[in-house]
Amino acid sequence: MEKLQPARLELVAYDTPYSATYDDVYHSALGGPAQARHVFLAGNELPQRWQGRHRFVILETGFGLGLSFLAAWQAWRADPQRCQRLHFISFEKHPFALADLVGAQTAWPEFAELAAELQRHWPALTPGMHRLYLNGGQVILTLLFGDATTQIRAVDASVDAFFLDGFSPVKNPELWSPHFCKALSRLAAPGATLATWTVAGHVRQALTAAEFTVEKRPGFAGKRQMLAGHLRSRRPDRFPEPTERRAIVIGAGIAGSTTAHRLAAAGWQVTVLEQAAGPGQGASSNLAGMLRPLPSADDNRLSRLTRAGFLATRALLAGLPEARWSPCGVLHLAREAVHEAQQRRAVEQLGWPEELLQFVERDAASRLLGQSVANGGWWFPNGGWVQPPSVCQAALAAFPERITVHFNAAVDRLEKAKTGWRAVAADGNVLAEAPVVVMASGAAAPRFEQFAWLPQRSARGQVTHLPAGLTPPLEVVLFQIGYAMPVVDGMQLIGASLSYDDDDAAEHPVDHRDNLARLRLTLPGFGDGIDPAGLSGRVGFRPMSPDRLPIVGPVPEPVAAGSNSRLHDLARQPGLWCVQGFGARGIVWSALMADLLLSQLENEPLPLERDLVDALDPGRFLLKAARTAAPEFTDHS
């Protein structure tokens, strides 16, 4: 992805916001809010069309200063017959920095309350999708920072209304081209409408060719005409809503707990079944875990996913005051000079905001740690540590009227039922029954018949707890070869070992010794005088996928796929879903994967680009196996 170039706020006559890049204004000088209501709301027959619906989806082609979004949100709030969930998707190639956004939105005092909430959630200016949950989670704003002409291919949604609000077709022709209009048509739901302020002939032609019927209507203020339209096609709805919102979630670790939380927030009734006596007792049981993204100079899939996951987890934690965490910062030191150069180059090429990522030289890194180190490295000022069991507890307690949790409830098997699925105990007792089951049991998942095909390995990890005062204190999270946390509850956590084919839950003294040795490579003398034989810690078993990415989505039938098959060709097991394969990154993945699963279950706009969703699909392993097994083709022509 290209670096983002933020917009600069400039004002022209009547304090109208202006873009020097496009030599055009962001809205009419004669009243921006009134223009938004006349053109985009009335032009799409809103609020009438969203009334009585469970969800309604709007897509806008230029977010700008958020004026049309604020007008739509305000109209939705004022409507007693409004839809339950309003999705608003908007592209912006040149987003505003928060300070400029705040300054510009003061011109609209009628939106002050809504603008303040939007500003509190305004994301870091990084490329890709950013999902903001507003108005108690009922208004979902999905911002795509980047070029709409390429980013539109990444969107997976069923759009009910289009706000075509790019700059003038003369100044910004790509957003009004026949190709772009056809891309909009691909996303249109049955009965979709559109509205825009321009009536340019080539725009009308492009929209007509893209299956829209358009007509001229009276324009706003001094503009004589505007354009409105609707989809001609009678295509079936590809994104039907679920008929019943009840689910079983197996596992109350961080994957299952955050999934249950997100489902309940959207109105689902959720039963959580956990074999342990409390939440977060398995791989999510550590005293603390690290929260930060993992950048790469080419912004590869792991980089994009961990960035999105980091931001989603931060947003979740902000809404769970009982969860314990600290944004103390994370320092990821380079291992040696070559690695240091790679880290520095990644920071330069990505161009992320400094509040998300910086490169610090050796002296600055030493000051952050309070002790000398040999190399500089990445500094994540808003990273930190998180206590996973507290997140699990807070997430499960957030919606007591919609989440029922059964501890000491070991599920032996899953059985198909007339109305969906049954979770059955070893004695034959039915623990729960629902149309949807979400497998989030971590390393235990492959023992279930429906998940025996899952290529997930159990990785044993052991962390070490050092009583406070035995080592110099750390104020930030440190990572290099090993990692160390600041003191939490009188203990400093360091780690961690990693081994496969080892199911021993007992602590190994040799792993405590190795955890100390790794830290000493970064901080010479760290823990000198400490006898590893006298230390304690915790052992967990992480569910690792072959490609180190989560496994999230509808579960495929465990049958062989053809070598020419695609993900959407695979047969799926109705009502069976999974949130698996988090490995050692459960804290980073949890909130984002819960968002993705809910969006898939609801057939709502997805919170990730389509290529990333495909990269997480459980069916990817069946396709890979089929393509690996396919005979080599030789062209004899």
Side-chain angles (χ1 to χ4, degrees), residues 59 89 91 152-160 162 182-190 192 235 238-239 610:
L59 185 144
I89 305 166
F91 299 93
I152 195 166
R153 295 195 297 268
V155 176
D156 198 339
S158 180
V159 177
D160 299 297
F162 293 93
K182 287 180 180 178
L184 294 174
S185 175
R186 175 184 66 81
L187 299 175
R235 68 180 67 157
R238 298 183 299 123
F239 296 88
R610 294 171 72 189

Side-chain angles (χ1 to χ4, degrees), residues 148-153 173-186 202 205-207 209-210:
T149 60
T150 55
Q151 288 286 77
I152 195 166
R153 295 195 297 268
E174 292 83 3
L175 281 192
W176 308 93
S177 69
H179 178 78
F180 190 74
C181 291
K182 287 180 180 178
L184 294 174
S185 175
R186 175 184 66 81
H202 70 280
Q205 292 172 5
L207 290 170

Side-chain angles (χ1 to χ4, degrees), residues 358 505 617:
Q358 303 172 26
D617 193 298

Side-chain angles (χ1 to χ4, degrees), residues 252-253 273-282 393 396 405-410 538:
L273 303 176
E274 169 56 53
Q275 64 179 352
Q281 298 299 300
Q393 182 66 49
L396 294 174
V405 187
H406 297 290
F407 296 116
N408 299 307
R538 193 157 195 129

Side-chain angles (χ1 to χ4, degrees), residues 529-607:
I530 296 176
D531 181 5
L535 294 175
S536 63
R538 193 157 195 129
V539 173
F541 295 90
R542 307 160 182 159
M544 307 287 284
S545 69
D547 55 13
R548 298 298 191 270
L549 295 180
I551 307 169
V552 179
V555 176
E557 293 282 359
V559 295
S563 59
N564 293 321
S565 296
R566 294 174 294 179
L567 281 171
H568 73 264
D569 296 328
L570 295 178
R572 307 287 176 160
Q573 301 188 57
L576 191 59
W577 299 74
C578 70
V579 186
Q580 287 289 140
F582 282 15
R585 297 193 176 99
I587 293 171
V588 172
W589 297 136
S590 54
L592 180 64
M593 297 304 118
D595 288 347
L596 173 59
L597 188 84
L598 169 67
S599 299
Q600 291 176 316
L601 278 166
E602 285 279 356
N603 278 319
E604 292 185 334
L606 299 185

